[in-house]
Amino acid sequence: MDYLLGTWSVEVISEPLNYVRIAFDDDGTYYVFSPFGGYMGQKGEFKLDGNQLTLFFPNFRSSRWDDLIFPDGKETSLVYDYDFKDFYDVGVLRNENVILRSGVEKNPVGTKSILKGIEVIKTEPTGVVASDNLKIRHEPSQKGNEASFWYPMFLTVALKDLLEDSYYKSDVEQKSSHVILKGTKTSYDAKTVKEDTIDGITSPWYRISLFDMDGESITQYFWVFGGYLEPYDKSKDAEYNQQLFDAAVEKGLLVIDEDAYQDYIWLESIKRVTEIASDSAEKIHKAGNVAENNDVLEGTVFKMGITKKELVDLLGEPLRTKLDESSVYWVDFIGVLPRGEKDGSVKTAGDLLQYFVDHGGSGFRLIFHFSGDKLVKIETEWEK
């Protein structure tokens, strides 16, 4: 009786996750706890006869686990088997459907053992990376049931730095995928004794672990074909993260954040203009904030008489300009002008094009005036 006292984890062999834990008391009562340790209010009687344990149906029906552990709705019998080659423990209570483990004596690494009815070799947790988008399954076989993994929070955490510098975000609508994405860093703790050949590659299947980073979620285990795993190399972290980022975009798990995208367009536009026109804007500013002839423009990248298309080819797409009721120019940083029409002409707001040259948070606004399609004047306005 002594070995039975304490708490045991309950595994239903046919199910991907464990459901409950059971604690035995010396008065012949067992108590049911959640995987996280909270008492669920269920309890029942048990009888131990030598190495055979009989559990009687608990005081009330709580969830699906009741039907899995008690298929006849009344009782279930298990035998204590010290010699069974269980993946986790030495000494388990089991029948053909259920295994109970106490966690007292662990099965050593390197041994052949049985994991959910599959013959495997237990390994140390070993870091690997998915070298391609790789199907995840509940069983180690191409015919095994496909599994799914919830990605939003996982990607938010794993790609934090890349996402901060991008205009993408996790798509909460596209919550899960049936693959482990290329570039995903994970680890395995078991590989099948049996090997398969897929796409001309012969390899065992590996049991990998993933954690979706969401609240009280527990580690999830999946089977993947080993032919598309590679050993983890810490020096390649940046490469892995970029692969994961690109794969998540390809699968629609990362989507464009419209607000961030418009900010990106705005910043990239200003960056390009600043790199090309900074010195030119300063010369015009020092010349009195206006240039109406090529003498003032000497040494700049501009020239009177150039066309709108030539200017746009030089500086890129301008920010859309508008006039308010006071006839003071302002910039709609959301709207970006199209590069051009089919005939090569550039669509503008009237006869003006505006660009901003950044100088660390302040800078010059360059205002280009056209007569017809020819540049006739450039003004600068200093902005703080």
Side-chain angles (χ1 to χ4, degrees):
M1 176 64 190
D2 289 345
Y3 77 85
L4 189 60
L5 300 181
T7 303
W8 295 63
S9 64
V10 180
E11 177 186 279
V12 178
I13 296 171
S14 62
E15 298 297 313
L17 296 175
N18 296 347
Y19 284 89
V20 294
R21 299 176 66 84
I22 293 180
F24 295 95
D25 203 343
D26 58 7
D27 67 356
T29 304
Y30 70 86
Y31 300 86
V32 181
F33 295 81
S34 79
F36 305 105
Y39 176 51
M40 298 173 64
Q42 281 183 297
K43 63 181 180 179
E45 296 180 356
F46 72 89
K47 181 176 69 175
L48 184 64
D49 184 7
N51 282 340
Q52 181 167 314
L53 172 71
T54 301
L55 298 176
F56 298 97
F57 199 86
N59 54 335
F60 63 87
R61 185 179 300 276
S62 173
S63 61
R64 179 168 171 261
W65 82 270
D66 301 315
D67 297 325
L68 295 171
I69 297 176
F70 301 92
D72 68 355
K74 297 179 180 178
E75 62 186 53
T76 190
S77 295
L78 305 100
V79 174
Y80 182 74
D81 189 344
Y82 187 84
D83 297 321
F84 179 71
K85 302 299 182 183
D86 178 64
F87 178 78
Y88 293 101
D89 285 7
V90 175
V92 297
L93 285 158
R94 70 184 187 94
N95 58 31
E96 61 181 12
N97 297 316
V98 179
I99 293 178
L100 272 63
R101 302 184 180 96
S102 65
V104 172
E105 185 178 353
K106 296 296 184 183
N107 191 23
V109 167
T111 58
K112 285 186 180 181
S113 53
I114 303 299
L115 176 60
K116 290 192 174 293
I118 302 155
E119 189 176 21
V120 302
I121 298 172
K122 185 174 183 177
T123 69
E124 291 283 2
T126 304
V128 287
V129 178
S131 61
D132 204 342
N133 293 331
L134 186 56
K135 194 84 72 175
I136 53 178
R137 301 183 184 276
H138 289 306
E139 299 89 26
S141 165
Q142 279 189 292
K143 297 180 180 179
N145 292 323
E146 289 185 3
S148 63
F149 180 67
W150 194 81
Y151 269 103
M153 188 58 67
F154 174 85
L155 292 172
T156 298
V157 174
L159 299 176
K160 179 176 181 293
D161 292 339
L162 284 178
L163 288 173
E164 285 181 350
D165 295 331
S166 79
Y167 46 80
Y168 283 92
K169 63 180 180 179
S170 290
D171 183 7
V172 295
E173 299 299 325
Q174 178 96 19
K175 294 184 177 181
S176 60
S177 175
H178 296 295
V179 301
I180 176 176
L181 298 174
K182 181 178 181 179
T184 301
K185 292 168 280 189
T186 183
S187 64
Y188 67 85
D189 61 0
K191 60 182 180 180
T192 58
V193 173
K194 180 180 177 293
E195 295 185 340
D196 280 341
T197 300
I198 301 175
D199 297 334
I201 304 170
T202 301
S203 171
W205 291 74
Y206 290 78
R207 191 179 82 146
I208 62 165
S209 60
L210 291 174
F211 185 74
D212 64 23
M213 309 292 181
D214 182 53
E216 290 188 339
S217 177
I218 59 177
T219 301
Q220 299 172 58
Y221 295 97
F222 307 100
W223 288 100
V224 295
F225 179 64
Y228 294 97
L229 296 176
E230 62 181 53
Y232 169 66
D233 180 350
K234 184 174 177 56
S235 68
K236 297 171 68 175
D237 269 344
E239 179 182 340
Y240 298 146
N241 287 342
Q242 189 61 56
Q243 290 175 350
L244 176 59
F245 186 97
D246 293 342
V249 171
E250 176 190 345
K251 292 291 185 181
L253 296 164
L254 291 179
V255 296
I256 292 176
D257 181 332
E258 290 299 332
D259 290 340
Y261 178 70
Q262 298 300 341
D263 288 344
Y264 168 82
I265 291 294
W266 174 60
L267 291 172
E268 287 299 302
S269 174
I270 290 175
K271 178 181 177 182
R272 173 180 169 81
V273 173
T274 299
E275 291 175 351
I276 295 173
S278 179
D279 292 340
S280 298
E282 290 186 20
K283 288 180 180 179
I284 297 170
H285 177 66
K286 290 177 181 178
N289 298 317
V290 63
E292 296 185 88
N293 58 64
N294 285 325
D295 290 340
V296 177
L297 294 180
E298 185 176 352
T300 74
V301 296
F302 308 118
K303 185 178 180 180
M304 288 300 165
I306 63 174
T307 67
K308 294 176 184 177
K309 183 179 184 306
E310 289 172 329
L311 183 65
V312 170
D313 287 343
L314 175 65
L315 297 183
E317 297 171 346
L319 300 172
R320 190 187 304 275
T321 59
K322 296 181 180 179
L323 285 168
D324 66 15
E325 294 178 355
S326 303
S327 297
V328 177
Y329 289 107
W330 62 284
V331 177
D332 175 5
F333 294 112
I334 303 300
V336 179
L337 290 174
R339 187 170 293 279
E341 304 296 339
K342 291 183 179 179
D343 61 2
S345 64
V346 178
K347 187 185 296 183
T348 66
D351 292 326
L352 297 171
L353 291 179
Q354 290 195 52
Y355 293 86
F356 183 74
V357 179
D358 181 46
H359 284 277
S362 60
F364 300 106
R365 186 165 306 286
L366 283 168
I367 306 170
F368 296 88
H369 297 257
F370 290 85
S371 177
D373 194 40
K374 303 294 183 180
L375 177 65
V376 295
K377 183 170 70 173
I378 305 175
E379 291 183 290
T380 62
E381 291 181 358
W382 181 258
E383 289 197 358
K384 295 182 180 180

